[in-house]
Amino acid sequence: MASAAPLAIPRRTDGLQYDPQIACRYLSEADPRLGDLIARVGEFTMRPPPSQSLFASLMRSIVYQQLSGKAASTILDRAIRACTSRSFPTPRELLQVPIEQLRAAGLSAAKSAAVRDLAEKTLDGTVPSLARVRRMSDEEVIQQLTAVRGIGTWTVEMLLLFRLGRPDVYPVTDLGVRKGFGLTFRRGKLPEPRTMFRRGQRWRPYRSVASWYLWRALEL
């Protein structure tokens, strides 16, 4: 679940909209058991990659859905080459490619339709620019982007957390976060989202950092 509060935090040069050291200290004081996990995992190392358009980020997310990283990367590269000789197609370039060529690149019928819908909604303004999305609250971004075919709340939460560096994103339906929560707080028992949400109230406004550490709990 993402915070609905608008952001007023200056952008940092590392792509994060918060200071991870301050966040870790806050979380450790607010929840000592989470603090134990933070101490065991060590430094918070997640940094958003260099900014790219929302169109590129969301097309990548659509292609990667329900596929291994290697298979998805291969299909994405083929789809890009079908559209352009540059590093990534524009929405207009993608719409000029027959859907049969996208299918031949390895995209399923559903994903081909989804990336075309993404391109159309980017051109008509439904998908905002990065400059505009940075002025929007998390909930506004979720509402706006889930209007695109094939993009659900989880996909937008991953965008907010890993691409936009938002501080208070808490994907309580994500299996990895649920498993990490269970290992940390429930002796391995998988929790219900409502249980996670209740405990997560003490982690505001840094639930993104807490979520990252819950994912890392699976690696310990």
Side-chain angles (χ1 to χ4, degrees):
M1 181 173 295
S3 168
L7 292 169
I9 304 172
R11 288 185 61 203
R12 293 162 51 96
T13 57
D14 59 10
L16 297 174
Q17 297 190 13
Y18 53 91
D19 185 316
Q21 292 184 340
I22 292 175
C24 288
R25 287 198 297 270
Y26 176 90
L27 292 169
S28 297
E29 293 173 3
D31 190 336
R33 289 184 68 183
L34 181 63
D36 290 341
L37 174 63
I38 291 171
R40 291 167 61 205
V41 172
E43 182 183 0
F44 180 83
T45 58
M46 190 278 288
R47 297 293 185 272
S51 294
Q52 59 183 158
S53 69
L54 286 190
F55 170 73
S57 293
L58 291 170
M59 180 175 169
R60 185 180 302 272
S61 296
I62 290 169
V63 174
Y64 271 68
Q65 287 171 1
Q66 299 178 319
L67 290 175
S68 69
K70 184 176 181 179
S73 178
T74 298
I75 292 171
L76 179 62
D77 287 344
R78 289 173 181 166
I80 291 171
R81 288 198 301 270
C83 299
T84 182
S85 59
R86 296 181 296 103
S87 59
F88 216 93
T90 65
R92 222 172 282 281
E93 285 174 333
L94 187 140
L95 289 174
Q96 291 171 351
V97 175
I99 199 166
E100 293 78 14
Q101 283 186 239
L102 296 176
R103 295 295 311 278
L107 291 178
S108 66
K111 288 184 179 181
S112 297
V115 296
R116 289 180 63 85
D117 188 57
L118 170 65
E120 290 169 354
K121 285 186 168 61
T122 300
L123 291 175
D124 71 17
T126 300
V127 176
S129 66
L130 274 174
R132 181 180 161 207
V133 85
R134 289 187 176 115
R135 298 191 297 269
M136 298 168 66
S137 72
D138 294 352
E139 290 300 338
E140 287 171 336
V141 177
I142 290 172
Q143 182 178 10
Q144 192 90 358
L145 296 184
T146 51
V148 178
R149 179 173 181 166
I151 294 178
T153 298
W154 178 87
T155 298
V156 185
E157 287 174 336
M158 297 301 104
L159 177 83
L160 290 165
L161 202 160
F162 290 108
R163 294 280 176 178
L164 301 178
R166 295 289 178 95
D168 199 36
V169 182
Y170 189 29
V172 295
T173 61
D174 181 89
L175 184 58
V177 174
R178 292 180 69 199
K179 286 182 176 179
F181 187 101
L183 289 170
T184 305
F185 300 107
R186 293 171 60 86
R187 298 182 180 180
K189 183 180 178 182
L190 202 63
E192 292 297 323
R194 63 177 178 272
T195 301
M196 298 172 63
F197 180 78
R198 283 197 300 269
R199 189 171 193 108
Q201 293 306 297
R202 69 182 77 180
W203 304 338
R204 290 177 179 270
Y206 297 117
R207 292 181 296 174
S208 294
V209 178
S211 299
W212 186 85
Y213 277 100
L214 293 177
W215 272 307
R216 301 286 78 74
L218 305 180
E219 301 168 2
L220 297 176

